[in-house]
Amino acid sequence: MPRLDHIRAKLNAKLTPTRIRVVDDSGRHIGHAGARPGGETHFIVEIASPAFAGLSRVARQRLVYGILAEEFAAGLHALALTTLTPEEDAQRPV
Amino acid sequence: MNTQTENNPAFQRIRGDVEKNDVVLFMKGTPVFPQCGFSAAVVQVLTQLGVKFKGVNVLEDPEIRDGIKRFSDWPTIPQLYVKGEFVGGCDIVREMYETGELNELLTTRGVAVQPQG
């Protein structure tokens, strides 16, 4: 299973998101620090979940990083993360 | 923090850096030559705000590169500290800059800002 699917499955299971978008962005980082020949190192993740309510930005991202700790240990290098509550997500300019 | 981490030499150096300098950016490369797009983005924000900061190049120092991730409980670089407090990585810094919160945080902590342009 590609890492993208692992990431989405783990976040879906733990955060019950109202919206989730995971994009493998590794191709744009080829040759950069942290890039690997096999790719799957850099992802864009946008999640709206009630689990983020009342949490600071740092706490929200730590929550996501904690859920994905195994992926980081296995070569995941960086995420571009957007973490919103469902209410914040609804107010987001499209 | 337990005794083991208190005595960790990397942690002691990191603690020294974030206590001695108002604003510290743990980054890949240097402020003049960032070697990662995320680090470059944070340098750009700090430059826009006209903030003096110390850049710590983690690529030059494996002990710090590994240590800062455990020190902050944060798996990625860059990492920004203001007055000894962890602020966040690239996404958070950029977002706080756009909403004006970063400027406000620096000002309330007594760090001089001189927004450019």
Side-chain angles (χ1 to χ4, degrees):
Chain A
M1 184 155 82
R3 173 163 287 149
L4 184 140
D5 295 330
H6 281 288
I7 291 174
R8 189 161 36 210
K10 285 179 182 175
L11 295 175
N12 269 327
K14 299 279 186 184
L15 298 176
T16 52
T18 52
R19 186 172 70 83
I20 181 164
R21 175 171 172 258
V22 184
V23 177
D24 187 339
D25 198 35
S26 307
R28 288 204 312 123
H29 296 271
I30 290 169
H32 297 189
R36 294 175 166 213
E40 301 199 308
T41 52
H42 294 71
F43 291 81
I44 297 166
V45 177
E46 290 176 22
I47 323 171
S49 162
F52 295 135
L55 298 183
S56 69
R57 288 191 177 87
V58 167
R60 291 176 183 194
Q61 294 206 2
R62 275 207 183 109
L63 184 59
V64 172
Y65 288 145
I67 293 166
L68 300 178
E70 280 177 19
E71 305 296 331
F72 274 98
L76 172 59
H77 184 70
L79 300 177
L81 258 181
T82 306
T83 48
L84 304 167
T85 62
E87 293 74 23
E88 290 164 352
D89 191 41
Q91 288 163 12
R92 222 165 68 110
V94 179
Chain B
M1 236 173 258
N2 62 34
T3 327
Q4 195 188 346
T5 54
E6 282 293 330
N7 294 330
N8 179 315
F11 283 17
Q12 287 176 7
R13 289 168 57 204
I14 291 166
R15 199 170 290 120
D17 269 336
V18 302
E19 281 170 4
K20 277 187 219 116
N21 302 278
D22 283 352
V23 183
V24 184
L25 179 63
F26 294 88
M27 62 179 293
K28 291 179 176 169
T30 64
V32 179
F33 291 109
Q35 290 183 43
C36 156
F38 300 110
S39 290
V42 177
V43 168
Q44 197 184 359
V45 163
L46 295 174
T47 307
Q48 286 288 324
L49 285 172
V51 180
K52 269 197 208 154
F53 67 98
K54 177 183 169 115
V56 177
N57 182 1
V58 303
L59 296 178
E60 278 183 350
D61 197 327
E63 188 178 84
I64 297 294
R65 183 175 183 173
D66 177 57
I68 190 65
K69 294 180 182 178
R70 287 182 292 126
F71 184 84
S72 309
D73 184 24
W74 197 260
T76 58
I77 311 288
Q79 297 185 14
L80 182 68
Y81 275 81
V82 172
K83 293 276 186 179
E85 188 193 325
F86 177 60
V87 175
C90 177
D91 300 314
I92 289 178
V93 169
R94 246 195 311 217
E95 198 179 314
M96 288 179 73
Y97 172 64
E98 282 162 15
T99 60
E101 285 163 90
L102 187 58
N103 195 334
E104 193 184 311
L105 173 80
L106 291 161
T107 309
T108 55
R109 299 292 157 88
V111 179
V113 287
Q114 282 187 306
Q116 310 295 301

